[in-house]
Amino acid sequence: MFGLSVLVALFALLLLAAPGSAEARRQAVPFTEVRLTDDFWRPRQETNRAVTIPHAFQECEDTGRIRNFEIAGKLAEGQFEGIYFNDSDVYKMLEGIAYDLALHPDPALDRRTDELIAKIAAAQQSDGYLNTYFTLVEPDNRWTNLPVMHELYCSGHLFEAAVAHHQATGKRNLLEVATRLADHIDRTFGDDRLVGVPGHEEIELALVKLAEETGEDRYFRLAQWFIDRRGSSDREYCQDHLPVREQSELVGHAVRAMYLYSGMADVALRTGDAGLIKALDRLWEDLTQRRLYVTGGVGPSAHNEGFTTAYDLPNESAYAETCAAIGLVLWSQRMFLLHGRSEYVDVLERALYNGVISGAALTGDRFFYVNPLASRGGHHRQPWFGCACCPPNVLRLLPQIGGLVYATLGSALYVNLYAQGEASVSVGGRPVEIMQRTNYPWSGEVKLTISPDVATTFDLRLRVPGWCEAASVKVDGERLEAQPGADGYLSVSRTWQPGDTVTLKLDMPVRRIAAHPRVAADLGRVALMRGPLVYCLEAADNDGAVLDLALPRHADLKPEWRPDLLGGVMTLHGKGLRREQCETEALYRPVDDETPIDVTAIPYYAWEHREAGEMAVWIPETTALAEAKLPPTLAQQAEVRASHVHPPDSLRAANDRVEPKASGDLTIPRFTWWDHLGTEEWIAYTFREPRRVHCVEVYWFDDTGVGGCRVPAAWKVEVLQDGEWREVTGASPYGVAADTFNRVTFEPVQTTGLRLLAQLQDGFSGGVLEWRVPGE
Ligand SMILES: [Zn+2]
């Protein structure tokens, strides 16, 4: 028999753990109560406000995304333009704008937002239905193709935008549109009505938000219903192959999966549904033990924009959609709220600092959809996409970062992320001001000033990140001999006086990370990390190439702060080796030479901001695993110039020793004369000292079927003699074959300059993937 006191304690524990009641639930401190003043997130938030929001607005206007609402609302004439789920991009942008308005009131932006909301409201049908594609293109087919069409997905993004807008401005104009649509969906779907689930999840988590904002329980029950009804088909692609409580493996489209699990966690948080929680725990383990990129990217395959088999984590072909990493942040946050363990925040932090923010350029106007972990220089951020889910997703996440920093549960205060700023929180019903001073993620030293309005007893839980092997803490200058608990937090329980200080020191050495041996792509390779940041090598810092580099295991690695580089980054430096291929096709041959080189690594999120070139996160420990470049020729001693070049295409591509797989190889750096069409153009090598040349080998760029470059109509080789360009004599035929080197020999000549004069085909441009100049 239990004693009464034990029973009372158990009962109290049950009460505290009862997920249903809001007070007993772990809750994030809203971003509106957290003011970031740091040099890492704040500049990104400011760029988001100053550049990304106006940029996205412009793109949504230019691409007809906003006009679709005007046409559906009979405010304008015309036809639907774009993809059937384009409404969602406008909603996501609106959600981000609302968050931004909450942080920084802006009357002009507020007015523009209201004008946009009026257009959205006009497009709503009298029964509450709202989707511009169906209204304009298939009015008779509403709700008839749930697996493929995205009506419920778009609705979810509208609900999220509406809740955000209501919270930010107190206005109900968008919220009323949202509730009319939610009521329509609630009337339409049900066991005795239309039974079906969305092909693209999102509405589940959005309905939970809408229920909380409006106090309308029907919306919560509808979210549950959409979750519970899954599993009646064989569609793995949208996680509809099994009832959610029976799912254990991540399958299908990664963004859909992340949104679904976030919605499941939202429901579980409020109901304590054990079946849902067990499923979430199994799925979480599957993700983190077998399917997660070191960058926090998820979903390796372009084929299904999603998951494949366990340990399948290719680097160069990694899909790792920006939206999926954002979805993982959403899911991780909810798993933390559910279980209160720091391991979830570790994953959140991994995704946030790496695979999420790599998705947006530092300038805020270019975006990655796909985030590979290796590149040959052909992968570039774009201003926008036909399928533009990612840019507005980054746009809506950045203003919310402050909301990931703190959480509370009863009389416990969690510090999950370290970022300089101030916050106002309520702990055990008492207001507490917190000040964080830190240079995180560049430094692991954090100083917290804790100021309750009056002396208050509570438990301060400092997250010790999974990457940190040694952490120490001082309270008011006195060192505490505390160790992190099983939950991963260093707990400091005391009566806090206003102005108490806590100094946390997280050791932040450079770390070499290896992957599980079943990850074939990373065998014999290491990734570099420091703090939460994953590093990469980029050509611009490493003499133009990185895929031929190795970093021996015992090479010393030193951090160096570079305020001038990429907005200010900590770089890593060490001694590496470059593989030098010998010039032979022999089956057996001497081992390739290796030459020492100073290797520089930069944070992964900051790659692809400079001249196009190779990038690698996973670096071989021996040159045997490094890729050999084409053997050098005289071309590597030359300076490259051209009549015209169009960034990100680059002059350097011509002599970077990267062997093309084909003339249409879009994965490697290229030189083109784009967008000059049908003109006569040139590219030249100049040498400091005269060189004796007798031959060139040219691999033409030709992207037939994709773009507007073709092999040239005609070309010739010229040499610089007495200050003038003259055609070489005795030239063999000038080949224009695709997919191979075109070799032309001529009478040997001594010269300081060599150039290719190309006549482009009518109406087309052209370019060069590689131009070699073999010596004698
Ligand atoms: Zn996306």
Side-chain angles (χ1 to χ4, degrees):
M1 283 292 280
F2 291 114
L4 185 63
S5 61
V6 176
L7 280 176
V8 168
L10 264 178
F11 186 60
L13 200 69
L14 279 174
L15 260 188
L16 196 68
S21 83
E23 307 75 58
R25 219 160 60 208
R26 216 169 270 105
Q27 307 211 43
V29 174
F31 72 95
T32 43
E33 303 302 317
V34 182
R35 296 162 297 282
L36 297 178
T37 59
D38 69 320
D39 290 334
F40 191 86
W41 292 116
R42 192 195 48 182
R44 279 193 173 261
Q45 290 185 331
E46 281 172 3
T47 301
N48 197 53
R49 175 179 318 122
V51 180
T52 310
I53 287 175
H55 172 82
F57 230 124
Q58 192 65 48
E59 290 287 355
C60 283
E61 280 176 347
D62 292 349
T63 56
R65 281 171 166 83
I66 292 175
R67 198 160 46 249
N68 287 338
F69 287 100
E70 296 170 13
I71 300 167
K74 301 204 165 53
L75 305 171
E77 299 266 303
Q79 291 187 329
F80 179 87
E81 194 181 332
I83 309 174
Y84 56 86
F85 48 78
N86 275 6
D87 289 1
S88 63
D89 301 326
V90 178
Y91 298 147
K92 272 193 285 189
M93 175 185 75
L94 255 179
E95 184 188 350
I97 290 173
Y99 295 143
D100 201 64
L101 285 173
L103 294 177
H104 290 265
D106 176 342
L109 184 59
D110 189 32
R111 249 192 326 277
R112 199 176 176 195
T113 304
D114 281 340
E115 286 165 16
L116 175 55
I117 290 171
K119 292 172 186 172
I120 292 169
Q124 186 161 39
Q125 306 295 283
S126 55
D127 61 356
Y129 181 87
L130 176 51
N131 182 290
T132 66
Y133 170 79
F134 278 92
T135 297
L136 293 172
V137 184
E138 297 189 57
D140 298 331
N141 294 333
R142 302 184 336 183
W143 309 126
T144 56
N145 190 357
L146 300 175
V148 174
M149 305 308 276
H150 286 25
E151 291 153 290
L152 292 168
Y153 167 82
C154 290
S155 304
H157 278 304
L158 170 64
F159 300 163
E160 286 203 89
V163 169
H165 184 254
H166 183 242
Q167 288 174 345
T169 63
K171 294 187 211 173
R172 303 187 59 85
N173 46 350
L174 192 57
L175 191 66
E176 277 165 13
V177 175
T179 53
R180 274 199 297 274
L181 174 56
D183 292 342
H184 170 80
I185 294 172
D186 191 41
R187 283 195 305 274
T188 305
F189 288 84
D191 286 336
D192 54 352
R193 300 182 291 278
L194 178 58
V195 176
V197 297
H200 197 313
E201 302 92 321
E202 150 66 22
I203 194 169
E204 302 83 358
L205 72 90
L207 280 167
V208 174
K209 281 190 182 179
L210 192 63
E212 300 244 299
E213 191 64 13
T214 59
E216 181 51 79
D217 195 46
R218 274 184 302 126
Y219 302 150
F220 183 77
R221 292 200 303 272
L222 187 56
Q224 282 182 299
W225 187 83
F226 277 127
I227 287 171
D228 291 343
R229 288 279 98 44
R230 292 197 92 75
S232 57
S233 77
D234 56 359
R235 287 188 296 269
E236 282 199 344
Y237 178 60
C238 52
Q239 300 82 35
D240 192 31
H241 59 302
L242 281 174
V244 293
R245 289 170 187 75
E246 294 169 28
Q247 296 191 21
S248 301
E249 260 186 46
L250 278 82
V251 295
H253 188 274
V255 181
R256 297 173 200 227
M258 296 301 109
Y259 289 2
L260 170 63
Y261 308 150
S262 298
M264 285 163 61
D266 278 335
V267 168
L269 258 165
R270 287 157 181 84
T271 61
D273 185 324
L276 275 186
I277 295 174
K278 278 189 192 139
L280 286 166
D281 290 347
R282 290 193 304 270
L283 292 162
W284 181 266
E285 189 192 329
D286 186 45
L287 173 74
T288 54
Q289 297 302 305
R290 292 175 279 278
R291 297 173 196 273
L292 179 63
Y293 278 106
V294 71
T295 53
V298 283
S301 171
H303 175 67
N304 61 348
E305 296 195 303
F307 298 104
T308 53
T309 53
Y311 303 104
D312 177 33
L313 294 165
N315 291 314
E316 194 182 334
S317 65
Y319 199 69
E321 183 180 339
T322 303
C323 283
I326 291 172
L328 178 57
V329 167
L330 304 179
W331 184 28
S332 309
Q333 167 80 339
R334 287 159 169 85
M335 290 301 280
F336 158 75
L337 294 175
L338 203 50
H339 291 310
R341 292 199 300 273
S342 69
E343 63 190 274
Y344 303 105
V345 188
D346 287 344
V347 171
L348 183 156
E349 187 181 59
R350 182 187 289 282
L352 189 62
Y353 278 92
N354 302 289
V356 168
I357 54 172
S358 60
L362 295 166
T363 50
D365 57 356
R366 290 184 169 264
F367 307 90
F368 278 146
Y369 193 113
V370 172
N371 294 273
L373 283 78
S375 168
R376 291 167 194 282
H379 189 65
H380 309 294
R381 292 188 184 83
Q382 305 294 324
W384 199 251
F385 303 93
C387 170
C389 49
C390 298
N393 222 348
V394 177
L395 186 159
R396 72 175 181 144
L397 183 73
L398 283 172
Q400 301 181 67
I401 301 281
L404 305 173
V405 178
Y406 302 101
T408 56
L409 172 68
S411 63
L413 169 63
Y414 292 87
V415 186
N416 275 333
L417 296 183
Y418 299 105
Q420 178 153 306
E422 283 84 44
S424 311
V425 306
S426 169
V427 190
R430 302 271 3 138
V432 179
E433 292 291 317
I434 308 165
M435 187 168 75
Q436 259 203 61
R437 287 290 169 267
T438 178
N439 195 22
Y440 200 87
W442 311 117
S443 150
E445 297 212 1
V446 183
K447 186 176 172 193
L448 292 157
T449 307
I450 311 285
S451 298
D453 60 340
V454 295
T456 307
T457 304
F458 63 88
D459 191 14
L460 180 71
R461 296 183 185 168
L462 303 165
R463 171 173 158 260
V464 178
W467 52 259
C468 177
E469 286 176 6
S472 61
V473 63
K474 286 181 184 168
V475 178
D476 283 339
E478 248 177 76
R479 191 177 166 131
L480 289 191
E481 293 309 321
Q483 293 299 317
D487 61 359
Y489 289 86
L490 246 168
S491 205
V492 186
S493 194
R494 69 192 315 245
T495 301
W496 299 92
Q497 308 287 339
D500 277 355
T501 60
V502 177
T503 310
L504 178 68
K505 192 167 181 302
L506 304 168
D507 269 14
M508 199 182 265
V510 182
R511 291 173 302 130
R512 281 177 163 75
I513 307 295
H516 187 288
R518 287 182 63 182
V519 182
D522 301 338
L523 264 186
R525 293 166 187 266
V526 291
L528 303 179
M529 289 190 74
R530 183 172 179 276
L533 296 171
V534 175
Y535 277 73
C536 69
L537 304 185
E538 198 177 21
D541 305 298
N542 294 284
D543 290 343
V546 303
L547 297 178
D548 56 350
L549 293 182
L551 195 62
R553 180 162 300 188
H554 301 291
D556 200 21
L557 289 162
K558 287 202 170 62
E560 184 194 346
W561 176 244
R562 289 281 307 276
D564 54 318
L565 189 67
L566 299 163
V569 289
M570 193 73 79
T571 54
L572 306 180
H573 299 272
K575 295 276 181 209
L577 295 168
R578 193 185 291 287
R579 180 174 178 176
E580 301 292 349
Q581 182 173 227
C582 56
E583 178 104 45
T584 172
E585 290 302 314
L587 180 57
Y588 301 107
R589 53 196 185 168
V591 292
D592 289 344
D593 281 342
E594 42 189 36
T595 51
I597 171 177
D598 291 326
V599 168
T600 299
I602 60 162
Y604 169 75
Y605 74 77
W607 85 280
E608 216 277 305
H609 283 93
R610 295 169 291 171
E611 190 174 4
E614 295 172 348
M615 182 278 290
V617 169
W618 290 95
I619 311 158
E621 289 191 302
T622 146
T623 53
L625 288 172
E627 282 185 12
K629 297 282 175 216
L630 288 164
T633 66
L634 296 175
Q636 277 68 48
Q637 302 168 17
E639 190 187 326
V640 194
R641 293 183 299 131
S643 52
H644 173 70
V645 64
H646 182 83
D649 298 350
S650 74
L651 292 167
R652 189 187 257 182
N655 64 349
D656 63 5
R657 296 170 58 200
V658 176
E659 185 164 14
K661 286 194 278 293
S663 281
D665 189 346
L666 300 176
T667 68
I668 63 172
R670 59 179 173 258
F671 162 80
T672 71
W673 290 292
W674 186 259
D675 45 355
H676 291 189
L677 309 179
T679 46
E680 188 177 68
E681 303 287 344
W682 56 265
I683 178 169
Y685 283 161
T686 52
F687 304 100
R688 256 166 227 242
E689 303 292 327
R691 293 281 181 271
R692 194 172 155 83
V693 295
H694 72 107
C695 167
V696 296
E697 295 174 352
V698 185
Y699 208 114
W700 297 108
F701 177 62
D702 185 320
D703 57 358
T704 297
V706 182
C709 287
R710 300 290 181 271
V711 296
W715 63 289
K716 57 188 177 183
V717 178
E718 297 181 324
V719 289
L720 192 59
Q721 288 195 311
D722 308 325
E724 285 193 26
W725 291 102
R726 299 207 183 103
E727 189 180 353
V728 293
T729 49
S732 62
Y734 289 108
V736 288
D739 305 331
T740 186
F741 278 104
N742 291 276
R743 182 180 170 93
V744 175
T745 56
F746 42 85
E747 282 180 17
V749 56
Q750 192 88 358
T751 183
T752 56
L754 193 62
R755 76 174 186 178
L756 311 180
L757 193 66
Q759 176 59 51
L760 303 178
Q761 292 187 32
D762 267 355
F764 292 103
S765 192
V768 169
L769 289 177
E770 191 71 14
W771 170 18
R772 310 182 75 218
V773 186
E776 283 180 290

